[in-house]
Amino acid sequence: MKIKLKKIGFIILSILLLSLVLNLIQSPITIENEVNINASNHEVFTVLASYKKFTEWSPFLVTDPKQKNWITGEDGLVGSKFHWEGVGEESEGFQELVRFERPNLLIMQCVISVPFESNPTFRYDLINHSNTTTVKQKFTMPSSVLNKIMMAAFGVVEEISSTNILGLERLKKYVETNLAAS
């Protein structure tokens, strides 16, 4: 009986130590998606850099159309921020334009405070192909190995990727529709 209890105790202690170690080791979550848009780099860049236009293609406004949002800073310039407070989804935070190289690169840093604290980064590389632009989106979020395993197991990584794909599809539709209208 004592040997069984010692073995069970050893197993539990080993699991706890392994969990602790996996929680300390950092392994960012990285998700990459892309879309081809029938527009120039300049036209796509202009939409991506504008938080005023973000509400037209944001995937988050599909899932939470009553979301409260506002912009601070000068729209389209480094330092501008898109703030949100979820209504249907309990979420809160802001996204800041932290770097760009017109018309080929934008980097946005998010600060999410609700429902959990996180600081994902969105990097958009725009590649020109005569009359089309390939937008490569790279989403990176700091994470521990344990958190990464749990998020993958519960489908969170797949959900983030699906949301990002929806955003890229909405961006494509918005840019192409507005070009056709003008």
Side-chain angles (χ1 to χ4, degrees), residues 108-154:
M108 299 171 184
Q109 178 71 48
C110 289
V111 175
I112 301 170
S113 54
V114 174
F116 54 86
E117 291 185 14
S118 183
N119 297 96
T121 300
F122 287 90
R123 177 187 173 110
Y124 295 92
D125 288 290
L126 284 66
I127 301 157
N128 186 37
H129 306 284
S130 50
N131 294 329
T132 64
T133 299
T134 299
V135 178
K136 292 187 175 193
Q137 179 194 65
K138 183 176 183 181
F139 170 92
T140 308
M141 185 169 66
S143 178
S144 68
V145 170
L146 181 61
N147 191 41
K148 189 174 185 178
I149 292 167
M150 297 300 286
M151 289 178 74
F154 288 100

Side-chain angles (χ1 to χ4, degrees), residues 64 84-92 112 114-116:
D64 191 1
W84 77 87
E85 289 179 10
V87 176
E89 291 183 350
E90 293 183 22
S91 64
E92 189 174 316
I112 301 170
V114 174
F116 54 86

Side-chain angles (χ1 to χ4, degrees), residues 54 57-64 162-168 170:
F54 183 58
W57 62 271
S58 168
F60 305 106
L61 289 164
V62 172
T63 56
D64 191 1
S162 294
T163 300
N164 290 351
I165 290 168
L166 175 62
L168 289 173
R170 289 175 53 81

Side-chain angles (χ1 to χ4, degrees), residues 96-100 105-109 121-124:
E96 179 179 4
L97 181 57
V98 295
R99 180 175 163 214
F100 66 77
L105 170 73
L106 292 111
I107 299 177
M108 299 171 184
Q109 178 71 48
T121 300
F122 287 90
R123 177 187 173 110
Y124 295 92

